[in-house]
Amino acid sequence: QVQLVESGGDSVEAGGSLTLSCTASTSFLCGAWFRQIPGEEREAVARINSGGSTWYADSVKGRFTISKDNATNTLYLRMHSLKLDDTAEYFCGASWYTPSWCLRAADFPNQGQGTKVTVSS
C-alpha cells in the first residue's frame, strides 16, 4: 500500500495562487486530487494518467493544473485564480489504473491525510 503525504495548503486571498504537493512512498501510474468541505462528499478535482493525459472538474478547468514527477514520485496541483469556493481540504490519491480508467476512476483507495486550503476575500 502506498503512503501519501500532502503539503502546500495555506490561507490565500481570492485571486491568488497555491501549489499543492503529494509525495508517495513508491511509484504510481495514476494520480488524482480530491477536495472535501465538511458535511459534503469528497469530489474529484483532477486526474493524470501514466501518459500524462489529464481530466479536470468543470469548476477548476483552466485554473488548476495537475502534474507528476516520476523521478521523485510526487504529484502536484497548481492552483491559480483561486475563488472562495475552492476552500476545502485537499487530498491526493495514487493508483496503478490503466490510462483510460485512470481518467474516469472515482475510487482511489490510497489517499493522503489532506492539506487545508482557505481562500478569503
Side-chain angles (χ1 to χ4, degrees), residues 57-116:
D58 288 343
S59 58
V60 307
K61 204 171 292 184
R63 300 188 298 119
F64 290 11
T65 302
I66 187 172
S67 62
K68 62 186 179 79
D69 184 338
N70 294 325
T72 60
N73 298 330
T74 304
L75 187 69
Y76 298 99
L77 185 69
R78 292 175 173 82
M79 306 183 293
H80 301 287
S81 302
L82 283 162
K83 303 177 180 180
L84 300 180
D85 288 348
D86 295 320
T87 295
E89 191 86 12
Y90 283 72
F91 302 85
C92 66
S95 186
W96 293 268
Y97 292 137
T98 61
S100 60
W101 182 245
C102 175
L103 300 182
R104 296 178 284 137
D107 183 23
F108 277 72
N110 299 303
Q111 295 194 25
Q113 295 302 305
T115 186
K116 187 172 178 62

Side-chain angles (χ1 to χ4, degrees), residues 17-28:
S17 300
L18 276 178
T19 295
L20 305 183
S21 300
C22 170
T23 302
S25 59
T26 186
S27 62
F28 58 94

